[in-house]
């Protein structure tokens, strides 16, 4: 990764976060909590940006439709988050596999 890639990545991240800040306060709070959760859990595909961008697009559509954030997600936001990454590997899975020494044994 060169310096130009880093600079471009920062520009994209700042633009992404500007979109988040433009959301209504309840949407922004829930988005940031989802983001914090995913940064902790660490789905491997999180770095490509499509997961968080997809959630942001979904939220913007909800705002345009005049819906509240919990109308979109339901009352259990954690279950919504887990459902989105249920078939994805996480860094926690990789760590568990490294401890057990057997690939595919995470969570078993």
């Amino acid at each position: 990764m060169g310096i130009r890639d880093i600079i471009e990545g920062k520009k994209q991240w700042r633009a992404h976060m500007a979109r988040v800040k433009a959301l209504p306060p309840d949407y922004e709070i829930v988005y940031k909590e989802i983001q914090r959760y995913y940064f902790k859990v660490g789905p491997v595909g999180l770095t490509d940006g499509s997961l968080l961008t997809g959630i942001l697009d979904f939220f913007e559509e909800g705002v345009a439709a005049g819906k509240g954030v919990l109308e979109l997600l339901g009352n259990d936001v954690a279950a919504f988050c887990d459902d989105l990454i249920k078939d994805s590997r996480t860094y926690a899975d990789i760590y568990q596999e490294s401890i057990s020494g057997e690939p595919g044994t995470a969570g078993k």
Side-chain angles (χ1 to χ4, degrees):
M1 179 182 285
I3 189 76
R4 290 182 188 192
D5 294 333
I6 293 169
I7 292 170
E8 184 59 32
K10 282 188 173 189
K11 285 181 184 177
Q12 290 174 354
W13 182 251
R14 286 184 183 132
H16 178 87
M17 291 309 295
R19 287 175 59 198
V20 171
K21 290 181 192 241
L23 292 170
D26 56 336
Y27 275 87
E28 183 180 357
I29 290 168
V30 172
Y31 176 87
K32 287 182 177 181
E33 288 302 316
I34 290 171
Q35 181 183 40
R36 184 176 296 123
Y37 177 74
Y38 283 145
F39 285 165
K40 276 186 191 175
V41 172
V44 175
L46 186 64
T47 56
D48 72 8
S50 62
L51 178 64
L52 292 176
T53 301
I55 292 169
L56 184 53
D57 292 341
F58 181 60
F59 278 15
E60 289 172 337
E61 290 170 12
V63 170
K67 295 185 177 183
V69 70
L70 294 181
E71 287 180 74
L72 293 177
L73 307 182
N75 290 329
D76 192 348
V77 177
F80 172 82
C81 293
D82 289 339
D83 193 45
L84 286 179
I85 62 168
K86 68 181 173 197
D87 296 327
S88 301
R89 286 183 50 120
T90 64
Y91 289 108
D93 293 336
I94 294 169
Y95 178 71
Q96 283 293 342
E97 291 167 3
S98 73
I99 292 173
S100 70
E102 297 179 37
T105 59
K108 294 181 181 169

